[in-house]
């Protein structure tokens, strides 16, 4: 199993660009990412794999970008 971070991305033009900009500005590299089918509260969900998942969650939180837990996606 590989630790990943689920990120709530606004489902609007440029929504993903904002998230990627925050990650880039923090000097983090994305190893891979993929989308999860469906939405929650008007937000799309992207899964990110980075070397420091805790650091990514902290950077996103400071930028006001929410993360999603497995329970938010219907995973247990």
């Amino acid at each position: 199993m590989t630790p990943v971070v689920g990120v709530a991305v606004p489902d609007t033009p440029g929504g993903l660009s904002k998230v990627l900009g925050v990650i880039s500005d923090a000097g983090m590299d994305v190893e891979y990412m993929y989308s999860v089918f469906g939405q929650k509260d008007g937000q799309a969900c992207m899964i990110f794999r980075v070397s420091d998942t805790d650091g990514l969650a902290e950077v996103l939180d400071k930028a006001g970008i929410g993360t999603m837990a497995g329970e938010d996606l219907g995973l247990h």
Side-chain angles (χ1 to χ4, degrees), residues 3-74:
V4 294
V5 178
V7 180
V9 177
D11 191 18
T12 59
L16 180 58
S17 178
K18 177 185 176 190
V19 174
L20 291 173
V22 168
I23 294 170
S24 177
D25 289 347
M28 301 180 103
D29 293 322
V30 175
E31 294 178 26
Y32 61 83
M33 66 180 194
Y34 54 91
S35 63
V36 175
F37 184 71
Q39 293 182 352
K40 182 173 173 84
D41 300 326
Q43 305 270 333
C45 182
M46 296 292 297
I47 304 297
F48 288 86
R49 169 65 183 140
V50 297
S51 61
D52 180 6
T53 54
D54 291 334
L56 176 58
E58 185 176 320
V59 163
L60 293 173
D61 185 54
K62 286 181 183 177
I65 299 171
T67 57
M68 299 178 119
E71 296 83 30
D72 295 327
L73 303 172

